[in-house]
Amino acid sequence: MDRPGESTDPTEPKAEAPRSGPRAVSRGNGILAGIGAAVVALAASEVVAGLSRAAPSLLLGVGDAVIDATPGWLDRAAIDRLGHSDKSALIIGIACISLIAGAALGNLARKHLIAAASGFIAFAVCGVVATATRPDNSVLGAVIVGAIGAAAGIIALRSLLGVATRQSHGAPAEISQSRRRFLVSAGGTLVIGVLAGVGGWILSGRERIDDIRRTIRLPRPFRSAAPVPAGADLHIDGLSPVHVPNSGFYRVDTALQTPAIDPDLWRLEVRGLVDRPFSLTYEELMALPQIEADVTLACVSNDVGGNLVGNARWQGVPLRGLLERAGVQPAGVQVVGHSVDGFTAGFPAKLATRIDNAMVAVGMNGVPLPVEHGFPARLLVPGLYGYVSATKWLSAIELAGWDVDGYWIPRGWSKNGPIKTQSRIDVPADGATVRAGHIAIAGVAWAPTRGIEKVEVSIDSGPWQTATLADSLGEDSWRQWHLAWDASPGTHTVSARATDGTGVTQTATVTPPAPDGATGYPSIQITVRR
Ligand SMILES: Nc1nc2c(c(=O)[nH]1)N[C@H]1C(S)=C(S)[C@@H](COP(=O)(O)O)O[C@H]1N2
Ligand SMILES: [Mo]
């Protein structure tokens, strides 16, 4: 075997003979080999995770662990302000740290291959531990993914160092030839690794589940929502639609990767402080009588005037019936929804009985729940912010005492989360320039379970003028409104306020979203030109 440092090649120029042995690998080549090996390790683990349903992605596992370890306020802010780009940034950040670690280990491997290999193993162990401690991940799956990743990385590192070592002696022509060979090997490894990693990522189930989802037909509900009255939609350009299409419906969750749940393997458990715990398959749940309702869902983090609110026509199984079947014990005063991803949200059990349209939702705007909105099932309780009620990817409904806290409660959010009466001005857009003359000021207002009775508009702090309300879809749904205004040139401030069905007008007091929802009047600034 052509072992470095043992060459007896007479053509080897003695003067240029580098330090012998594996030490002969240059720092640059060592680093490159290390990065290549790290890419191979990540790619191998992602491919395994992508191919097997039971194998979790370590990259996502670490990302989830980072999110869970992040202080509540930062977490909340990141999730809501940056939307979902922050999650991609987190994954890219973790991948970069892995590559930097790979570079360092590659450098180390020039002299201490065993130590570097141990480094790869240690890195994999960290990933496995972070991933396996997530409730929805299989421990064995994580261990296998980690072992394959580490093994692939170590093998790649050894081979690349082998190629690099061969170039450090021999005739100059041979050296440049083998240098080229090393660069081609390292470059090829990087490209193939990145492609494989991306492929593994894409394979990871989401698309497959969506294919299954598309074949599902919703049963006809025994209680349909009333047909949308002709006057419910004012048909004003830029105004929020009566029903927000699923593709445009806001999304808030802590999940890095949308849980991809095979409905055939899924179970919904009803358990805890109940006399008769039971569990349902998707088929059994779908066979139960269903209701349909127009309900506005809002996020507690929504700023006044913000977009984290939407109205949809939901379909599902009434929560009341499921709780009656289980027989709630007197101590079971809280309903805690558990998600397959570990998220939890809890609300008073009496609301589940009192609120007519509280349901385990399986449909949204006429189709099975989209994957990102909780397929195969989620909770929906009209009148409650999502963080205490609307558990997506629901796996269990637990009846508990009030002492049990859902995900956001220890992170500084209020234990009770009733949706505050709110309004929003959609038209004109804030900051818009419009032409003088007759224009429409329009928006939506919501107070789920109470309904909207009145919306008023004030221009430049002038008197409150009553807006025209569109026809109502019911008390749980938002309602469009508009006011005709003869706009005069200049800059103007327009504010609005809503009064709910109990006669209470939203408060003017300005408060931030934390801990129980933002308050204050929505307001826009516009410029009117001649
Ligand atoms: N599993 C799970 N369910 C969840 C959340 C989550 O992070 N994980 N977020 C909740 C919050 S804070 C809100 S506002 C709603 C948003 O529902 P949507 O994404 O369908 O609009 O889902 C709720 N259900
Ligand atoms: Mo939320």
Side-chain angles (χ1 to χ4, degrees), residues 418-423 445-456 469 475 477 479 497-507:
I419 296 180
K420 293 176 175 171
T421 300
Q422 260 300 351
S423 49
W446 60 92
T449 70
R450 303 179 296 279
I452 292 295
E453 188 177 278
K454 182 162 76 172
V455 172
E456 297 160 289
L469 291 176
E475 305 193 320
S477 172
R479 198 165 177 182
R497 67 178 189 191
T499 299
D500 69 22
T502 67
V504 176
T505 301
Q506 71 175 96
T507 173

Side-chain angles (χ1 to χ4, degrees), residues 225-403:
V228 179
D233 193 340
L234 299 170
H235 297 288
I236 294 171
D237 256 6
L239 176 57
S240 298
V242 171
H243 293 118
V244 179
N246 293 349
S247 58
F249 204 94
Y250 85 95
R251 182 185 161 189
V252 170
D253 50 64
T254 59
L256 264 183
Q257 192 187 40
T258 317
I261 302 171
D262 184 334
D264 283 343
L265 305 176
W266 177 83
R267 293 288 180 281
L268 174 62
E269 278 185 65
V270 181
R271 57 172 156 89
L273 301 173
V274 295
D275 293 334
R276 301 171 295 275
F278 62 93
S279 99
L280 297 171
T281 64
Y282 184 63
E283 212 176 320
E284 288 164 344
L285 179 70
M286 292 292 269
L288 295 176
Q290 298 189 5
I291 55 169
E292 190 185 49
D294 296 314
V295 179
T296 295
L297 178 61
C299 183
V300 66
S301 302
N302 195 33
D303 287 312
V304 174
N307 285 320
L308 300 177
V309 55
N311 190 59
R313 177 160 285 191
W314 307 88
Q315 174 173 338
V317 175
L319 192 50
R320 185 187 290 148
L322 295 173
L323 298 191
E324 275 166 9
R325 175 166 165 186
V328 177
Q329 296 170 358
V333 296
Q334 184 179 201
V335 172
V336 181
H338 290 256
S339 167
V340 299
D341 69 355
F343 175 88
T344 52
F347 56 91
K350 59 176 189 277
L351 295 184
T353 330
R354 202 178 291 162
I355 295 176
D356 251 357
N357 289 331
M359 64 170 100
V360 173
V362 293
M364 184 177 182
N365 291 323
V367 295
L369 271 186
V371 172
E372 59 276 17
H373 292 291
F375 181 77
R378 75 178 304 170
L379 279 169
L380 186 76
V381 185
L384 296 183
Y385 286 120
Y387 81 106
V388 289
S389 65
T391 306
K392 304 193 273 189
W393 313 292
L394 187 67
S395 59
I397 296 169
E398 181 200 1
L399 273 295
W402 195 242
D403 54 312

Side-chain angles (χ1 to χ4, degrees), residues 435-462:
R435 209 179 241 290
H438 290 281
I439 65 161
I441 298 171
V444 285
W446 60 92
T449 70
R450 303 179 296 279
I452 292 295
E453 188 177 278
K454 182 162 76 172
V455 172
E456 297 160 289
V457 175
S458 161
I459 294 156
D460 300 326
S461 303

